[in-house]
Amino acid sequence: MTIDAIRRTAAPLRTEVVNALRRAIVAQEFAPGDRLVETVMCEKYSVSRTVIREALRQLESEGLVTMVPNRGPEVATLSIHDAESLYEVRRALESLAGSLFAERASDAQCAELVSRLGEVKVAVASGDPEKRLAAKDRYYDVLLDGTGNAEIARMLRSVNARTQMLRTLSLAAPGRDGRTIAEITRITAAAAVNRDPDEARLACEEHVRNAAEAALGEMRKLRAN
């Protein structure tokens, strides 16, 4: 059994494999365009081909995997236009989420968002990309839960599943760490402390706009090389 093998828990095995593969793709353990060979995946995660196929279909529906004729599944490659479109949608949804959180979140959810901000700061200071991504995900879980709107949460999580592929690019931009902390601090203050829907909306818009500029800038550099 390899170190990556999936541990059997009460959660459905397919869900565990989907989550493990998603993390590997986001961390670019599997880079855009890489083939996802079933036999290799079976050995890596110690599961059957049926489970791997089900997981790949799920990730295909999220836009993280592409089925290529005569080649099989591979990690999706986002074009600059794809990325621009995704960030436009994310900006609209996230700004609405921030505004609704300020209006609807409970005191406990507000306190938890402040706590998650602290975790993001620690993770960013660690310099570990995986820890940063995980802490940011936990922060957004609280933000979305506090909207009281399951549809916004569902749609934004779907969009984020694809923009996560670009987070390592946005984080690679010079000075992005410090700006990220400042932006999320502004969101937290507006949504969870001051309970100001308009300011929360503007703070979320700024954060996504800056993340988009950073990621797209890095994408253009890579394309130019």
Side-chain angles (χ1 to χ4, degrees):
M1 190 175 192
T2 69
I3 192 170
D4 292 309
I6 298 299
R7 297 175 181 174
R8 275 63 177 173
T9 67
L13 185 58
R14 180 183 63 82
T15 301
E16 295 182 43
V17 176
V18 167
N19 290 338
L21 266 172
R22 188 189 293 114
R23 286 194 299 269
I25 290 171
V26 170
Q28 296 202 340
E29 181 180 340
F30 300 116
D34 281 357
R35 290 185 63 199
L36 298 170
V37 181
E38 286 184 5
T39 53
V40 174
M41 298 294 100
C42 290
E43 182 177 353
K44 180 179 179 63
Y45 297 113
S46 294
V47 295
S48 69
R49 285 197 176 198
T50 298
V51 173
I52 291 297
R53 288 170 183 167
E54 290 175 349
L56 290 172
R57 281 196 293 270
Q58 172 64 38
L59 294 175
E60 181 186 17
S61 73
E62 295 179 7
L64 296 178
V65 170
T66 300
M67 295 297 177
V68 181
N70 303 317
R71 180 175 169 85
E74 64 179 40
V75 179
T77 300
L78 294 177
S79 68
I80 290 176
H81 178 69
D82 292 335
E84 288 173 338
S85 298
L86 284 167
Y87 276 114
E88 284 178 355
V89 175
R90 180 184 160 192
R91 186 169 67 246
L93 290 172
E94 194 166 313
S95 62
L96 179 57
S99 178
L100 290 178
F101 184 99
E103 292 178 355
R104 300 175 177 176
S106 66
D107 289 344
Q109 287 170 323
C110 289
E112 188 173 3
L113 195 69
V114 172
S115 177
R116 295 296 185 215
L117 170 63
E119 292 180 7
V120 172
K121 290 179 178 179
V122 171
V124 169
S126 76
D128 185 324
E130 189 170 342
K131 287 182 179 179
R132 284 187 293 187
L133 292 172
K136 192 92 177 289
D137 284 344
R138 289 192 293 271
Y139 178 91
Y140 275 104
D141 284 342
V142 177
L143 183 71
L144 293 177
D145 287 344
T147 66
N149 187 315
E151 284 304 305
I152 290 175
R154 180 184 62 80
M155 289 187 286
L156 190 53
R157 284 186 173 111
S158 176
V159 171
N160 279 342
R162 299 184 71 191
T163 58
Q164 277 183 327
M165 299 175 69
L166 304 170
R167 279 192 191 171
T168 52
L169 291 176
S170 65
L171 291 172
R176 184 61 195 149
D177 281 352
R179 288 193 292 273
T180 294
I181 292 299
E183 290 158 12
I184 298 178
T185 299
R186 181 188 174 193
I187 292 170
T188 307
V193 179
N194 299 325
R195 310 300 295 267
D196 184 334
D198 290 336
E199 172 63 12
R201 174 179 55 78
L202 293 173
C204 288
E205 286 182 351
E206 178 193 41
H207 176 56
V208 178
R209 186 180 299 110
N210 291 343
E213 288 177 359
L216 291 167
E218 292 301 310
M219 285 184 77
R220 292 187 179 103
K221 288 180 187 178
L222 291 173
R223 299 291 193 275
N225 292 335

